[in-house]
């Protein structure tokens, strides 16, 4: 069965050649296939936004996607991080004293959240492709919102641990699912900025949480006999609920299973499938053992999760700032910083991360070949230098401003996440199942280690005197740097091989065209990933 590809019109017939075990094959037959995607010629408009560089019908469709898919995904990510990190703000705003959390209880609560988050990753991605994706993602948001409301009434550490576990369990599948749906609709040159827009809401959530805690503490502390930190969980739940409702109505189904609705017409669904031929398969993401074995012969399955694992530890350095600010308040002496200031001052890290992430994605899209690895290398270099500086200087220097500035600069180490997700989706674009698998592995590996490493590197009981943790962070950043360089090299090698194979096929087709009439290329071919 063949189909037309009406959107991109490559100037030459050079194609990327890849190999894939034929689906359903029992003898492991490897067949050649052609990836007909060639990035379109770009004008200056595309450097502002890709929608400005396409025809009216496609621009209308992409605008609808941006208004529905991107907004629901971004809001979902925001409330997920809001409900994930609010425990730190609550801890530093009275919960520690009310529940007598004077040991490493906060670390243990976060570890249980991380354990549940890891446990739910791959099963959730498997389930995603068997159900209505939009309804499933909305269900996850409704579920963790319910447990956020419940956290407002905890009376002891065991209840806190249980609720944090279930929040983590339902949050587990959200981010990989959102990234999967986005990569099913957007082409590679359209994806980086949109992924980064979603990714920056990872910082908007904590940013909002800090301001929210400050406002709630000032306005609701003591109302109806409840302390401010309990009211914060009520407010967080009240914010999350309408966002989940919007996801229920706005998040589109995967292209292969989409039907006309109040947003998208049948013509637009057909356009979505024509733009992304690999997404026509009705069921995608159904992992088979033979596929998993094949994927594990490629470098993507190992290096991307390892990079994410290391990069995930770099953010711990900036997370120490709120404890540093609070440490200036000494019992028996006038407070140096108010509760509002303790929650608000560290938010500068989130603001810089947001600006830096957007800048990183725009620069990455503008580099030759839309190179992704330089952004990853830059973030890792910052992760080496700044935490090392924090670890080698006094915790309370004569001039607070120097350490304050160093904490803010840790934000630059978190600017490559959106670009990294784009890179993953690009390198496995022609294999939707592998794309879902690698995405789940990335998140799972990052949180497997985040569940327990901070207990030793950044123990709550020793904050902010965590110099060893700062040096450990630099070590993880060094590993991330080497991994990013290896990824950049291997991706360049794969593309070079693909170009050589494509040129060989061009020459062969040109030779054949001299003896037989040219016929249209059948673009409905089995697409896979280049071995390596």
């Amino acid at each position: 069965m063949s189909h037309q590809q009406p959107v991109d019109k490559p100037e030459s017939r050079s194609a990327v050649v890849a190999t894939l075990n034929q689906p359903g094959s029992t003898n492991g037959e490897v067949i050649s296939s052609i990836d007909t995607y060639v990035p379109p010629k770009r004008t200056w408009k595309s450097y502002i936004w890709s929608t400005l560089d396409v025809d009216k019908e496609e621009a209308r469709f992409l605008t609808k996607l941006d208004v529905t898919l991107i907004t629901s995904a971004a809001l979902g990510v925001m409330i997920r991080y809001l409900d994930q990190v609010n425990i730190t703000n609550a801890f530093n705003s009275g919960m520690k004293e009310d529940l007598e959390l004077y040991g490493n209880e906060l670390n243990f609560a976060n570890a249980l959240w991380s354990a549940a988050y890891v446990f739910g990753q791959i099963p959730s991605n498997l389930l995603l492709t068997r159900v209505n994706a939009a309804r499933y993602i909305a269900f996850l948001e409704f579920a963790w919102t319910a447990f956020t409301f419940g956290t407002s009434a905890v009376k002891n550490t065991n209840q806190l641990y249980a609720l944090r576990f279930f929040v983590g369990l339902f949050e587990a599948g959200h981010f990989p699912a959102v990234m999967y749906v986005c990569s099913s609709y957007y082409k590679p040159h359209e994806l980086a900025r949109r992924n980064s827009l979603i990714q920056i809401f990872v910082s908007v959530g904590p940013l909002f949480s800090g301001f929210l805690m400050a406002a709630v503490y000032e306005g609701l502390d003591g109302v109806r006999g409840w302390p401010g930190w309990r009211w914060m969980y009520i407010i967080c739940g009240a914010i999350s609920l309408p966002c989940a409702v919007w996801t229920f109505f706005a998040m589109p189904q995967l292209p292969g299973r989409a039907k006309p609705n109040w947003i998208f017409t049948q013509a637009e669904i057909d356009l979505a499938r024509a733009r992304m031929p690999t997404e026509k398969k009705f069921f995608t993401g159904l992992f088979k053992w033979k596929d998993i074995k094949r994927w594990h012969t490629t470098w993507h399955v190992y290096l991307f999760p390892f990079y994410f694992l290391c990069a995930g530890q770099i953010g711990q350095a900036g997370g120490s700032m709120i404890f540093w600010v609070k440490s200036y308040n000494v019992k028996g002496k006038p407070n140096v910083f108010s509760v509002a200031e303790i929650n608000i001052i560290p938010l500068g890290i989130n603001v810089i991360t947001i600006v830096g992430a957007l800048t990183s994605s725009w620069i990455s899209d503008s580099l030759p070949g839309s190179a992704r690895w330089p952004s990853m290398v830059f973030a890792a270099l910052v992760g080496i230098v700044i935490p090392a500086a924090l670890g080698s200087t006094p915790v309370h220097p004569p001039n607070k401003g120097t350490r304050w500035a160093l904490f803010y600069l840790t934000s630059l180490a978190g600017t490559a996440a959106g670009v990294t997700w784009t890179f993953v989706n690009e390198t496995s674009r022609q294999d939707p199942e592998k794309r879902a698998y690698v995405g789940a592995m990335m998140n799972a590996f990052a949180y497997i280690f985040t569940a327990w490493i901070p207990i030793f590197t950044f123990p709550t009981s020793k904050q902010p005197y965590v110099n060893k943790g700062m040096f450990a962070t630099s070590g993880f950043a060094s590993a991330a740097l080497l991994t990013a360089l290896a990824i950049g090299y291997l991706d360049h090698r794969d593309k070079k091989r693909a170009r050589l194979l494509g040129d060989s096929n061009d020459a062969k087709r040109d030779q054949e065209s001299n003896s037989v009439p040219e016929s249209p290329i059948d673009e409905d071919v089995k697409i896979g990933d280049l071995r390596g």
Side-chain angles (χ1 to χ4, degrees):
M1 180 179 67
S2 63
H3 56 265
Q4 293 182 343
Q5 178 91 329
V7 182
D8 287 332
K9 299 177 181 180
E11 289 190 324
S12 72
R13 297 179 65 194
S14 295
V16 178
V17 177
T19 59
L20 175 66
N21 289 341
Q22 184 175 7
S25 173
T26 57
N27 57 5
E29 178 186 359
V30 177
I31 59 173
S32 294
S33 59
I34 302 174
D35 176 357
T36 55
Y37 175 77
V38 178
K41 290 186 68 175
R42 303 172 67 181
T43 68
W44 63 270
K45 295 179 182 178
S46 68
Y47 292 97
I48 300 175
W49 196 249
S50 62
T51 307
L52 301 176
D53 223 10
V54 297
D55 59 50
K56 289 184 178 180
E57 290 75 15
E58 191 173 0
R60 176 181 172 83
F61 169 68
L62 289 173
T63 300
K64 282 187 177 182
L65 271 182
D66 293 341
V67 171
T68 55
L69 173 54
I70 300 303
T71 60
S72 59
L75 289 173
V77 168
M78 183 196 74
I79 61 172
R80 184 175 80 78
Y81 271 82
L82 175 66
D83 295 336
Q84 174 187 336
V85 305
N86 52 23
I87 189 173
T88 301
N89 296 102
F91 180 86
N92 286 286
S93 303
M95 186 172 73
K96 174 183 178 180
E97 293 77 14
D98 289 352
L99 298 185
E100 299 182 352
L101 309 178
Y102 295 109
N104 286 327
E105 291 88 353
L106 178 61
N107 285 121
F108 295 143
N110 287 332
L112 280 168
W113 179 93
S114 297
Y117 193 85
V118 170
F119 177 77
Q121 287 285 307
I122 292 178
S124 180
N125 261 28
L126 286 170
L127 183 60
L128 170 70
T129 56
R130 298 295 293 173
V131 297
N132 185 304
R135 301 294 186 265
Y136 176 65
I137 294 173
F139 162 74
L140 294 177
E141 295 179 11
F142 281 120
W144 84 61
T145 296
F147 285 102
T148 297
F149 277 122
T151 309
S152 66
V154 294
K155 293 181 173 60
N156 54 57
T157 54
N158 288 335
Q159 292 177 2
L160 178 64
Y161 293 160
L163 287 166
R164 290 299 292 175
F165 178 87
F166 283 107
V167 169
L169 185 64
F170 287 107
E171 289 186 349
H174 186 266
F175 196 78
V178 164
M179 290 289 103
Y180 185 84
V181 174
C182 287
S183 62
S184 298
Y185 275 99
Y186 292 107
K187 295 184 177 183
H189 72 281
E190 300 168 341
L191 195 56
R193 297 175 194 183
R194 290 172 170 90
N195 273 358
S196 292
L197 282 174
I198 296 170
Q199 182 69 36
I200 64 173
F201 277 81
V202 169
S203 298
V204 171
L207 178 67
F208 190 36
S209 180
F211 283 112
L212 182 64
M213 185 68 249
V216 169
Y217 192 88
E218 291 293 327
L220 292 176
D221 187 44
V223 174
R224 296 183 179 275
W226 272 30
W229 67 267
R230 292 188 185 275
W231 278 110
M232 188 193 68
Y233 282 107
I234 296 293
I235 301 300
C236 285
I239 293 170
S240 299
L241 191 58
C243 293
V245 172
W246 174 242
T247 297
F248 183 86
F249 288 106
M251 177 72 68
Q253 172 62 293
L254 294 171
R257 305 182 70 187
K259 296 179 181 179
N261 59 17
W262 69 283
I263 302 172
F264 299 103
T265 65
Q266 184 61 53
E268 288 169 333
I269 294 171
D270 292 339
L271 175 61
R273 293 169 180 168
R275 281 166 41 86
M276 302 290 284
T278 57
E279 304 302 324
K280 287 188 173 183
K281 189 176 177 182
F282 191 75
F283 290 115
T284 58
L286 304 180
F287 307 161
K288 298 178 181 178
W289 179 242
K290 67 176 183 178
D291 293 325
I292 294 175
K293 288 193 294 184
R294 174 171 56 82
W295 299 333
H296 279 269
T297 64
T298 66
W299 58 265
H300 314 84
V301 175
Y302 301 99
L303 294 189
F304 278 121
F306 184 71
Y307 173 83
F308 227 56
L309 180 162
C310 296
Q313 306 311 313
I314 301 175
Q316 300 293 333
S320 184
M321 187 178 188
I322 190 171
F323 299 96
W324 174 72
V325 175
K326 187 176 182 179
S327 69
Y328 278 93
N329 292 350
V330 180
K331 192 174 182 179
K333 296 183 179 180
N335 287 343
V336 177
F337 296 106
S338 67
V339 171
E341 289 172 329
I342 291 170
N343 283 283
I344 291 174
I345 288 173
L347 300 181
I349 295 175
N350 303 92
V351 173
I352 299 172
T353 299
I354 290 169
V355 176
L358 290 174
T359 304
S360 178
S361 65
W362 255 259
I363 291 174
S364 178
D365 275 348
S366 302
L367 290 173
S370 297
R372 310 303 182 193
W373 64 268
S375 295
M376 298 162 65
V377 167
F378 171 76
L381 284 171
V382 174
I384 295 172
V385 175
I386 302 303
L390 285 167
S392 58
T393 54
V395 173
H396 296 111
N399 181 6
K400 298 185 188 73
T402 56
R403 196 166 182 84
W404 194 318
L406 287 173
F407 272 121
Y408 275 11
L409 287 175
T410 62
S411 60
L412 297 178
T415 56
V419 172
T420 304
W421 275 101
T422 302
F423 204 0
V424 171
N425 290 322
E426 287 175 347
T427 54
S428 298
R429 179 173 59 87
Q430 303 294 0
D431 194 341
E433 292 87 354
K434 180 183 175 184
R435 191 172 74 232
Y437 182 77
V438 176
M441 289 285 286
M442 281 172 59
N443 252 19
F445 267 77
Y447 281 97
I448 283 173
F449 286 84
T450 302
W452 60 271
I453 287 178
I455 295 176
F456 301 99
T457 55
F458 291 90
T460 307
S461 59
K462 293 185 178 180
Q463 288 278 17
Y465 304 97
V466 286
N467 291 28
K468 291 181 180 179
M470 295 295 180
F471 289 120
T473 296
S474 292
F476 280 109
S478 299
L481 173 64
L482 294 175
T483 307
L485 291 171
I487 288 173
Y489 166 75
L490 291 171
D491 181 62
H492 174 75
R493 183 201 66 180
D494 289 353
K495 289 178 179 176
K496 184 177 179 180
R497 287 180 179 177
R499 283 194 298 271
L500 291 174
L501 290 169
D503 290 342
S504 175
N505 273 17
D506 277 347
K508 183 177 179 180
R509 284 195 299 269
D510 291 341
Q511 184 178 9
E512 291 174 350
S513 67
N514 293 327
S515 57
V516 296
E518 182 175 352
S519 59
I521 297 177
D522 181 5
E523 295 186 359
D524 189 17
V525 290
K526 308 294 189 300
I527 305 296
D529 54 87
L530 189 67
R531 291 195 179 278

